[in-house]
Every structure is written in structure tokens, then in C-alpha cells.
């Protein structure tokens, strides 16, 4: 643990251990020689009860906040100038506002090389300890920040009636991100935009916010190049014009709060169905939130829909979120750190008390109880983890009572693995569980019963762009039905614009019985992996088992028969252009249809020159069998109710492989 982290940990333990004192007294005691500066602030506002409370709020929650040493910024200035000069050779002044990565990978490679050389030759200059706010911050800075926050709060037509608590949480704080310089950035933003935004009634807050963000659209994503470049202040980010999502998020918090808008940064610690994590910005109303992409884009405000764990992105597919936390200035005294658990037994993501669980603001949640294996002596917490970049990453903690851990507010339709943290190592605590769409918990433990498995992919949702072409072929397909062949009276259903990788069920609109079905093909082509019809019976919905093609369909260019669409596996299918814009089917009986299920054609992701291993989770990934790529992989005699993973045998640590559950001939990716 670094000296800074150790010092911050001691401060937090001190705060937890001294609960009998007032929070203000604890903070003042922790300030050491800087106490006189903090007392000057309190004395300055003693005659104004509300501002005095605001000052108390900032001081009470200041312990553990820290800033970079300004000498690091000074040490980096020559590099910033070289970065600026190099970027100008790529003409970044003329970039479109939608151009995220300036002139492609060549720019990125040169930036990487430039930073590697500079940081190596200036290694000692860049080794500076952080400065702990409560021990160094000046009274003049706090007084300025408090006065400014109150001014813009009352000037802002949208937030002036917000509660004092909301003001303290999302407008008042001089920092909402550790490490940043505490400088005059908010005053600079105010001088730039005062009177232009959020001060005139009769407008729309989101439209005004959109216009303000457009002014900073020249700041783009770095494309993950030179991610170690220190960017600790607004002036540097605006000079470099490129950064990561975390950089643009704190830029947005300083920008909006400088004009009296309640703002924060929300994070997903790890996606539940793809690699990495993410942070984004959110504007906050008393009863609503407006999350948005930190960088400028046309669909800036779509995050609330995308992150509801039901919808998905037309280009990238589904996003599944296990938890969402909001970065806060306020301490939330809950979880393992507040409970006195040693830092070595807490995953790094939960060694901070400056976060608030806001998962319920995005998606429907469920509390999950997990029965654990033998709980190690003295262990108070377990952690739910999701598969992320070839590892299990913790996303939430659960307090242990006897041998059961309770995890609050979890996302659904997600596979989790319960684990312990012991001396910095994550240890399996139970079998993986699938929290289903209905919130029920299913333990994924291999059964004795066996089945056949057919798959075409190994990266899950990341293969979505690979299949967008297939989705486009069948989007808008109309199914019409009739009792008599050729008399197409009723529309049964229409394939939607948004199509996922798994089967989708569509409700049949017609209330009449049908025997024959005509598929109206908008592109004169077919790209299906599966098609099923369900009829209404006295005992419920039943699969229609006697469906056959009435239209003669040639083999696909890959030699696939159209009957693949009716076999037991959604991973086998049929794709080819056709001469006509329709095909006909015979259901084999006249019946009242209730639902139609379809799955798009899934392209094979396996390369011909690679062997792929089928792995099962049993306290770790165990290789069951393998198969040669170039075609769908067909495995026989595999156990049901297991968690699976397929990986290239020559790249066993490939980070984009995803686990899946196999049921009824179909792969469900997690």
C-alpha cells in the first residue's frame, strides 16, 4: 500500500473509531496544523446559519480527500507542449465534433511513444505524494467556493428551489473526484458562461445543457492512448483536447456545478456482459436523473434507456449493469470499510466511502441471498463478482450472517460468482448463480443429465456488430396467416427493428385460427437461426411441432438447408438472398397461435486455423473437450445447468471471451 493510501486508510479508521465525537470535531482533529484555516472558515460564516452549515458539511466530509501536488503538473508542462505540437500535425483544430479519435491509430501510437519516453526520463520528477485536503486547504479557497456555490444556486432557475441537502451533495462540493487540483476552475467556467445558461425562465434544462456541452465538443476520447498521462486540472484537459471518460466526467461536474446545476458522476464497476467498466455524467433533479455520455455525441441523452437492463443499443447490443454507484463528496458510512474490515480484506473498489448506491435509479433491482460454503473465521463480508476481462471482478459486498450473505439491489438477468477477499486475493465462496429476469436465483451447478450443444461464437455481445447485417435482412419481416392457403387475412406479427442475438418472442395479434403462414421478406432474403410457433391450448402454450416449408428453398451458399431453421439449435441456421419477396409455411394443423419465436442467423466467429476449448466452471474453468473452428462447434454429452466458456486454445487468456448458459438448444450470454 502506498504512503498516501496508508495515510488515508488511517484517517478513515480514525473517523470510524471516533463516532462518539461530533463529525465536525473529528474532522478538525484530523486537520493537524491546518485546523486554524478551517476554523477561519467557520468563523467567517458563523453569522449566516445556512452557509455555516455548508461549511460544516465540507469540513466534516473532507477527510480522505486529496489533490495532486502542483509540482507534477509543472513537471509535465514540457510534455503537454510536445503533445500539443504533435496533435497539430494531425490538424486536430479542424476535426469534426463527432471525430472521437484524431486521425486514427497513427496519432495514438506516436502519443504513446512520446509519453513513454518522457515519463521514463522524468521518472523522479513525477514521483510526488498527493496533498491531503484537510491538512493543506486554505480558508480563502473554501470561502470562495462556498460563496460562489450559493450565488449560482440562487441564480439558477432550475435548481434554486432544490433542497439544501441536494445543494450540498451536488452543487456545493469543490471536488467530486480525488486527485484534482483545487483551483479556480469553477470561477473560470462561471466567468465564461454567466448569464448565458440556466438563468432565464421559460426554457428547457436539457436543451440548455445540450447547447453548453456542444461548446466543449472539441474535447474527445483519447482512444485509450497514453492512459498514464496525468490530467489533473481543467486547463490541461482543454489544452490536450483528449482524455478518458473519467477526465471528461470531472470536467462536466465542475462545469455544471459552476452554473448551479446539480451534477455527479455515476459508474458501473464492471459490465455484466462485456469487459471493462464505465463512468458517465448525470444531471440531477429532485425526483429524476438525466444521465448522458460524458463526450459529445448525437444521442447524448440515451443512457437512461440503454442502462435500464431491458433495452439495448442498435450498434453495440445489450448493456447489462450489475450495480451503479454515484461518486460523492459525502461519506456513506456503510459496508466493509465502515465496519472496520482491514483494507487487505476489501477489494480495492470498496476501499472508499465516497459512493452512493443508485442502481434503483436505473433499473429494477432485487436483493440476493446466497448460502456460502464454509465461511473463513472472522470473515464479515462476501462479494458478488461478474466475469470481466478474463477474471471475476467484484461489484458489490454482502454482510454475512452465519453462512448466508445478503447483497442488496442487484441487477437481474446476470450471472454472479460469490467470493471472499482474503489478504488481497479473491477466493471462491459458492457456486455461480444466475439472477433471472424475474429476480429468482438459480444456482449453476452441473447436473447428471446430459444434452447436445451447438455454438457459433465465444465473445457474446461483442459479436453483435458481426450480426447486424443479418438482423437488417429480417427486420420488418411480416407474418400473415390464413385458414386456407393463399387467403392471407390477418397479420400475425412483425419482426422488430431491434433484434438481439438470442431468440425473441412476439405476441400474435390475430385472434383467428390459422393453418398457413406467409413470411413477407422486405429484403428478398432470409437470415434466420430459429423459428418457432406456439399455439394456445387448454393447458397453456404449446410448441407447434409439424411446421414445414411449402416454398422450395435452395441450399445456402454455405450448403445449409432451410430446415436448419426448424432444428433443435438456434446456432444452426439459413441465410441467402431469394428471388421472391415471400416464402410460405404449413403449420400442419389449424390452431390459434399465441406467440412466434425467432432468432437471427448467427455468423460463425470461430477461425478455421484455431482449436477451441469448451470449459465448464467447477471452482475454476475446467477443459471438457475441444473442437476445430471454421464451422459451428458441436459437442455431445455435456451436463445441463452449468456455466460454460469457449476460448481459443492458443490464446487462453484472451480477455473478450464470455461465459454462457446453454438451454433448450440456445446459448444465453453473460
Amino acid at each position: 500500500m502506498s504512503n498516501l493510501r496508508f495515510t488515508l486508510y488511517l484517517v478513515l479508521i480514525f473517523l470510524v473509531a471516533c463516532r462518539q465525537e461530533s463529525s465536525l470535531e473529528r474532522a478538525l482533529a484530523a486537520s493537524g496544523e491546518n485546523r486554524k484555516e478551517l476554523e477561519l472558515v467557520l468563523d467567517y460564516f458563523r453569522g449566516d446559519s445556512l452557509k455555516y452549515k455548508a461549511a460544516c458539511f465540507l469540513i466534516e466530509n473532507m477527510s480522505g480527500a486529496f489533490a495532486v501536488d502542483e509540482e507534477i503538473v509543472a513537471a509535465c508542462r514540457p510534455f503537454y507542449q510536445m503533445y500539443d505540437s504533435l496533435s497539430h500535425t494531425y490538424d486536430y483544430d479542424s476535426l469534426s465534433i463527432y471525430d472521437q479519435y484524431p486521425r486514427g491509430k497513427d496519432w495514438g501510437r506516436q502519443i504513446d511513444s512520446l509519453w513513454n519516453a518522457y515519463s521514463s526520463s522524468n521518472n523522479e520528477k513525477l514521483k510526488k505524494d498527493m496533498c491531503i485536503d484537510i491538512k493543506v486547504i486554505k480558508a480563502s479557497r473554501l470561502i470562495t467556493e462556498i460563496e460562489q456555490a450559493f450565488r449560482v444556486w440562487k441564480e439558477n432557475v432550475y435548481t434554486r428551489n432544490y433542497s439544501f441537502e441536494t445543494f450540498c451533495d451536488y452543487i456545493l462540493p469543490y471536488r467530486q473526484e480525488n486527485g484534482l487540483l483545487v483551483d479556480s476552475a469553477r470561477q473560470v467556467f462561471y466567468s465564461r458562461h454567466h448569464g448565458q445558461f440556466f438563468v432565464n425562465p421559460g426554457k428547457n434544462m436539457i436543451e440548455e445543457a445540450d447547447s453548453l456541452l456542444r461548446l466543449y465538443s472539441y474535447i474527445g476520447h483519447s482512444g485509450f492512448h497514453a492512459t498514464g498521462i496525468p490530467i489533473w486540472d481543467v486547463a490541461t484537459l482543454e489544452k490536450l483536447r483528449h482524455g478518458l471518460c473519467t477526465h471528461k466526467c470531472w470536467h462536466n461536474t465542475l462545469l455544471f456545478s459552476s452554473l448551479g446545476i446539480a451534477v455527479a458522476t455515476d459508474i458501473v464497476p464492471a459490465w455484466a456482459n462485456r469487459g471493462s467498466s464505465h463512468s458517465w455524467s448525470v444531471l440531477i433533479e429532485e425526483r429524476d436523473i438525466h444521465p448522458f455520455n460524458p463526450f459529445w455525441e448525437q444521442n447524448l441523452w440515451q443512457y437512461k434507456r440503454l442502462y435500464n437492463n431491458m433495452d439495448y443499443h442498435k450498434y453495440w447490443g445489450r448493456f447489462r449493469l450489475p450495480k451503479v454507484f454515484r461518486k460523492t463528496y459525502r461519506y456513506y458510512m456503510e459496508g466493509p470499510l465502515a465496519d472496520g474490515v482491514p483494507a487487505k480484506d476489501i477489494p480495492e473498489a470498496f476501499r472508499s466511502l465516497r459512493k452512493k448506491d443508485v442502481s434503483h435509479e436505473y433499473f429494477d433491482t432485487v436483493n440476493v441471498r446466497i448460502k456460502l460454503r464454509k465461511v473463513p473465521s472472522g470473515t464479515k463480508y462476501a462479494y458478488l463478482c461478474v466475469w470481466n476481462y478474463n477474471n471475476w471482478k467484484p461489484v458489490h459486498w454482502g454482510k454475512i450472517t452465519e453462512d448466508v450473505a445478503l447483497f442488496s439491489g442487484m441487477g437481474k438477468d446476470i450471472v454472479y460468482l460469490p467470493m471472499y477477499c482474503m489478504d488481497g486475493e479473491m477466493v471462491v465462496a459458492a457456486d455461480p448463480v444466475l439472477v433471472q429476469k424475474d429476480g429468482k436465483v438459480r444456482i449453476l451447478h452441473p447436473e447428471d443429465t446430459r444434452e447436445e450443444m451447438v455454438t457459433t461464437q465465444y465473445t457474446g455481445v461483442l459479436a453483435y456488430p458481426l450480426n447486424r447485417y443479418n438482423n437488417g435482412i429480417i427486420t420488418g419481416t411480416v407474418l400473415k396467416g390464413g385458414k386456407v392457403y393463399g387467403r392471407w387475412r390477418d397479420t400475425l406479427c412483425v419482426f422488430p427493428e431491434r433484434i438481439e442475438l438470442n431468440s425473441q418472442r412476439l405476441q400474435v395479434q390475430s385472434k383467428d385460427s390459422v393453418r398457413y403462414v406467409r413470411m413477407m421478406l422486405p429484403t428478398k432474403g432470409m437470415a434466420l437461426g430459429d423459428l418457432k410457433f406456439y399455439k394456445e391450448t387448454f393447458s397453456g402454450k404449446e410448441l407447434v411441432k409439424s411446421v414445414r416449408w411449402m416454398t422450395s428453398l435452395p441450399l445456402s451458399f454455405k450448403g445449409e438447408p432451410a430446415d436448419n431453421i426448424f432444428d433443435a439449435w438456434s446456432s444452426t441456421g439459413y441465410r441467402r438472398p431469394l428471388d421472391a419477396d415471400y416464402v410460405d409455411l404449413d403449420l400442419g394443423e389449424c390452431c390459434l397461435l399465441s406467440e412466434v419465436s425467432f432468432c437471427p442467423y448467427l455468423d460463425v466467429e470461430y477461425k478455421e486455423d484455431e482449436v477451441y476449448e469448451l470449459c465448464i466452471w467447477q471452482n475454476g474453468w475446467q477443459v471438457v473437450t475441444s473442437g476445430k473452428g471454421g464451422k459451428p462447434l458441436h459437442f455431445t454429452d455435456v451436463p445441463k445447468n452449468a456455466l460454460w466458456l469457449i476460448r481459443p486454445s492458443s490464446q487462453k487468456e484472451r480477455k473478450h471471451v464470455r461465459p454462457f448458459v446453454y438451454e433448450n438448444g440456445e446459448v444465453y450470454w453473460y
Side-chain angles (χ1 to χ4, degrees):
M1 188 184 296
S2 69
N3 289 338
L4 171 67
R5 287 183 179 176
F6 183 69
T7 301
L8 292 175
Y9 180 69
L10 289 181
V11 170
L12 291 173
I13 292 301
F14 171 79
L15 292 174
V16 172
C18 300
R19 288 178 178 172
Q20 67 272 21
E21 300 179 35
S22 75
S23 53
L24 182 60
E25 279 301 320
R26 292 198 303 270
L28 291 173
S31 64
E33 295 180 0
N34 199 48
R35 180 170 183 145
K36 61 181 182 298
E37 293 288 330
L38 302 181
E39 289 177 338
L40 281 174
V41 177
L42 296 173
D43 290 340
Y44 184 87
F45 290 115
R46 206 169 293 277
D48 187 321
S49 62
L50 209 56
K51 290 181 180 178
Y52 181 81
K53 287 181 180 178
C56 290
F57 173 83
L58 290 180
I59 294 170
E60 288 168 355
N61 290 278
M62 192 178 293
S63 295
F66 60 87
V68 67
D69 191 312
E70 291 188 36
E71 291 184 19
I72 293 181
V73 179
C76 287
R77 285 195 182 111
F79 168 77
Y80 296 151
Q81 188 57 51
M82 289 186 285
Y83 182 113
D84 184 63
S85 299
L86 175 60
S87 295
H88 271 98
T89 65
Y90 285 83
D91 196 23
Y92 75 9
D93 283 334
S94 65
L95 291 177
S96 160
I97 61 174
Y98 306 113
D99 212 344
Q100 288 285 315
Y101 310 136
R103 302 301 184 260
K105 294 181 180 179
D106 187 42
W107 171 86
R109 282 192 290 266
Q110 292 195 53
I111 289 293
D112 283 334
S113 178
L114 190 66
W115 171 247
N116 289 338
Y118 188 86
S119 59
S120 296
S121 60
N122 292 273
N123 187 46
E124 290 303 315
K125 291 182 180 179
L126 298 175
K127 283 183 178 179
K128 298 290 182 182
D129 257 339
M130 298 288 180
C131 302
I132 299 174
D133 287 6
I134 204 167
K135 293 182 177 295
V136 300
I137 199 163
K138 298 300 181 184
S140 58
R141 170 51 53 196
L142 273 187
I143 291 170
T144 297
E145 293 290 338
I146 292 169
E147 294 282 22
Q148 178 80 1
F150 272 88
R151 180 185 303 115
V152 297
W153 180 26
K154 294 310 175 186
E155 287 177 351
N156 192 296
V157 296
Y158 303 109
T159 64
R160 60 176 54 151
N161 294 320
Y162 282 12
S163 68
F164 181 67
E165 182 180 3
T166 299
F167 164 75
C168 285
D169 282 333
Y170 303 119
I171 299 174
L172 173 66
Y174 62 92
R175 75 157 69 252
Q176 290 186 353
E177 182 82 31
N178 268 337
L180 300 182
L181 287 178
V182 182
D183 59 14
S184 60
R186 296 210 295 178
Q187 288 73 49
V188 171
F189 279 136
Y190 181 78
S191 65
R192 286 179 187 174
H193 305 299
H194 171 57
Q196 303 172 46
F197 298 97
F198 315 124
V199 293
N200 297 313
K203 295 186 176 182
N204 179 280
M205 185 180 76
I206 299 304
E207 291 177 359
E208 288 201 73
D210 211 49
S211 298
L212 177 60
L213 289 166
R214 192 186 297 265
L215 297 178
Y216 295 91
S217 60
Y218 64 87
I219 302 175
H221 197 284
S222 69
F224 301 104
H225 292 294
T227 55
I229 297 175
I231 305 177
W232 297 116
D233 63 333
V234 166
T236 299
L237 181 60
E238 292 183 353
K239 180 178 180 62
L240 300 187
R241 297 182 174 225
H242 307 104
L244 300 174
C245 293
T246 53
H247 300 131
K248 194 62 175 71
C249 281
W250 58 249
H251 183 275
N252 290 338
T253 61
L254 293 169
L255 171 63
F256 280 99
S257 66
S258 76
L259 300 173
I261 290 289
V263 62
T265 297
D266 286 354
I267 60 172
V268 55
W271 297 114
N273 67 335
R274 61 183 72 223
S276 193
S277 56
H278 187 38
S279 57
W280 60 91
S281 299
V282 55
L283 303 187
I284 296 165
E285 294 188 272
E286 294 278 37
R287 295 180 178 82
D288 201 3
I289 60 169
H290 304 281
F292 62 96
N293 188 347
F295 293 98
W296 177 263
E297 66 173 7
Q298 286 181 304
N299 296 318
L300 195 69
W301 303 93
Q302 63 179 328
Y303 276 21
K304 194 169 184 181
R305 175 185 66 80
L306 287 182
Y307 295 168
N308 64 9
N309 277 354
M310 293 185 291
D311 218 317
Y312 61 100
H313 193 279
K314 187 175 180 180
Y315 184 87
W316 295 110
R318 300 195 305 165
F319 290 87
R320 287 298 176 265
L321 295 79
K323 294 296 293 182
V324 177
F325 294 101
R326 182 161 297 151
K327 292 183 179 181
T328 61
Y329 181 82
R330 182 195 297 269
Y331 276 121
Y332 285 88
M333 302 298 287
E334 57 186 15
L337 186 60
D339 209 8
V341 176
K344 64 183 179 63
D345 294 331
I346 304 174
E348 187 171 354
F350 301 107
R351 294 177 191 169
S352 170
L353 298 173
R354 296 182 185 275
K355 62 174 61 175
K356 177 184 179 182
D357 185 354
V358 294
S359 305
H360 64 282
E361 296 184 17
Y362 286 88
F363 48 81
D364 189 30
T365 66
V366 63
N367 295 334
V368 176
R369 295 179 184 274
I370 303 291
K371 185 175 176 59
L372 306 171
R373 296 172 187 166
K374 185 177 180 181
V375 179
S377 177
T379 301
K380 296 182 179 180
Y381 286 86
Y383 300 89
L384 276 191
C385 306
V386 296
W387 184 252
N388 194 278
Y389 278 165
N390 213 36
N391 210 339
W392 290 101
K393 186 170 181 179
V395 294
H396 198 32
W397 46 263
K399 187 71 178 285
I400 299 174
T401 303
E402 295 182 351
D403 61 349
V404 175
L406 173 62
F407 303 91
S408 62
M410 303 306 301
K412 303 175 184 177
D413 195 19
I414 293 170
V415 166
Y416 299 99
L417 181 67
M419 303 188 83
Y420 304 117
C421 182
M422 303 175 66
D423 291 326
E425 299 293 326
M426 301 302 296
V427 179
V428 176
D431 285 325
V433 296
L434 169 58
V435 178
Q436 301 175 140
K437 292 180 180 179
D438 60 5
K440 294 180 180 178
V441 176
R442 172 180 159 192
I443 299 174
L444 297 175
H445 185 82
E447 297 176 352
D448 291 335
T449 52
R450 304 280 166 159
E451 63 183 336
E452 290 184 84
M453 176 190 295
V454 178
T455 71
T456 59
Q457 297 160 5
Y458 64 100
T459 62
V461 74
L462 290 185
Y464 189 85
L466 180 69
N467 288 283
R468 280 185 294 110
Y469 171 77
N470 304 322
N471 296 352
I473 293 174
I474 59 175
T475 292
T477 294
V478 178
L479 271 60
K480 291 185 171 291
K483 290 182 179 179
V484 178
Y485 181 68
R487 297 183 183 177
W488 313 112
R489 297 182 55 188
D490 295 333
T491 296
L492 304 177
C493 59
V494 180
F495 287 8
E497 179 183 357
R498 293 175 180 168
I499 296 174
E500 297 203 57
L501 297 181
N502 298 116
S503 292
Q504 292 175 248
R505 287 204 176 195
L506 306 176
Q507 298 297 313
V508 171
Q509 303 168 16
S510 173
K511 300 301 180 184
D512 293 331
S513 296
V514 299
R515 160 99 187 231
Y516 302 99
V517 174
R518 169 160 288 185
M519 297 182 66
M520 310 295 294
L521 308 174
T523 63
K524 284 190 176 181
M526 189 176 295
L528 282 172
D530 195 49
L531 182 65
K532 291 185 173 69
F533 297 87
Y534 293 88
K535 61 185 178 181
E536 198 70 53
T537 68
F538 290 112
S539 57
K541 297 180 178 66
E542 290 185 8
L543 176 66
V544 179
K545 299 179 180 179
S546 52
V547 183
R548 66 177 182 86
W549 297 110
M550 297 184 70
T551 304
S552 178
L553 296 173
L555 294 176
S556 75
F557 298 135
K558 293 182 178 181
E560 303 158 317
D563 282 346
N564 277 0
I565 294 174
F566 301 133
D567 66 16
W569 307 293
S570 63
S571 293
T572 61
Y574 177 80
R575 181 184 67 189
R576 72 162 289 153
L578 300 172
D579 294 332
D581 61 0
Y582 69 90
V583 293
D584 296 332
L585 304 99
D586 181 1
L587 302 181
E589 60 178 298
C590 194
C591 54
L592 180 62
L593 295 177
S594 59
E595 291 179 341
V596 174
S597 169
F598 77 96
C599 181
Y601 183 92
L602 301 175
D603 277 297
V604 175
E605 199 178 1
Y606 307 123
K607 296 180 180 179
E608 290 186 10
D609 57 351
E610 181 64 86
V611 173
Y612 294 86
E613 297 175 342
L614 176 66
C615 304
I616 191 171
W617 180 267
Q618 291 181 307
N619 295 322
W621 293 114
Q622 312 295 331
V623 178
V624 174
T625 185
S626 62
K628 190 78 183 309
K631 62 185 184 303
L633 297 181
H634 191 162
F635 305 107
T636 59
D637 198 35
V638 297
K640 291 186 175 182
N641 196 46
L643 185 64
W644 299 97
L645 180 142
I646 293 175
R647 64 190 182 194
S649 60
S650 66
Q651 304 175 59
K652 294 185 180 182
E653 300 303 314
R654 188 179 177 92
K655 66 180 183 179
H656 291 304
V657 298
R658 296 299 310 173
F660 62 91
V661 172
Y662 195 79
E663 285 186 283
N664 300 320
E666 187 159 3
V667 174
Y668 294 91
W669 293 101
Y670 296 101

